[in-house]
Amino acid sequence: MTKENLIEKIKAMAAAPSCCPELTAAVQKYFDALGTDKEKVAAQNLIAEIEEDISDVDSLVAFAHSDRAKEIFGEGQKNFAAHADELKASGAKYCDCGACAPGVEILQNKEILLG
């Protein structure tokens, strides 16, 4: 994977409705630092935030079956919970939402951002 590919993954992650404000802020700081002497530190901070925010599949399942998920998704919570259960049954380790899926790929290739 190239740095350009990772930058596209970062953009996709930040654009996802499931991306939290803290991660969005870390992405912006990284993009602000690109090409400067602050880029490596911003990349380290971005990676740390991704590591903190990615949901493992067990946490996803617990959330999907929670009262909070019912509040957020209403009737859609049942489908969301079923999807989370299927994801776990398939052997997945992480959430596959629009923020977590590219986040996992970014972490798998973080040395490119840190290099």
Side-chain angles (χ1 to χ4, degrees):
M1 184 170 292
T2 67
K3 186 173 181 178
E4 292 75 26
N5 295 131
L6 280 177
I7 287 173
E8 291 306 312
K9 299 279 182 195
I10 293 167
K11 288 177 183 177
M13 177 182 67
S18 54
C19 188
C20 71
E22 296 84 5
L23 184 51
T24 302
V27 166
Q28 187 58 55
K29 287 179 183 175
Y30 174 72
F31 284 135
D32 290 346
L34 269 175
T36 72
D37 61 343
K38 297 177 183 178
E39 182 176 345
K40 187 170 184 174
V41 171
Q44 291 168 337
N45 293 335
L46 174 61
I47 290 164
E49 189 64 38
I50 294 169
E51 290 172 338
E52 185 176 318
D53 294 341
I54 287 180
S55 291
D56 62 79
V57 75
D58 290 328
S59 296
L60 175 67
V61 169
F63 171 67
H65 288 278
S66 71
D67 289 337
R68 180 72 178 129
K70 289 177 189 172
E71 291 173 18
I72 294 170
F73 298 107
E75 289 299 315
Q77 179 267 340
K78 292 177 185 175
N79 290 336
F80 176 52
H83 173 74
D85 292 340
E86 290 170 10
L87 195 61
K88 181 174 174 131
S90 75
K93 294 182 181 181
Y94 298 99
C95 173
D96 65 347
C97 76
C100 288
V104 169
E105 290 185 78
I106 293 162
L107 291 180
Q108 290 171 340
N109 294 281
K110 66 185 175 184
E111 69 280 350
I112 294 170
L113 294 180
L114 298 173

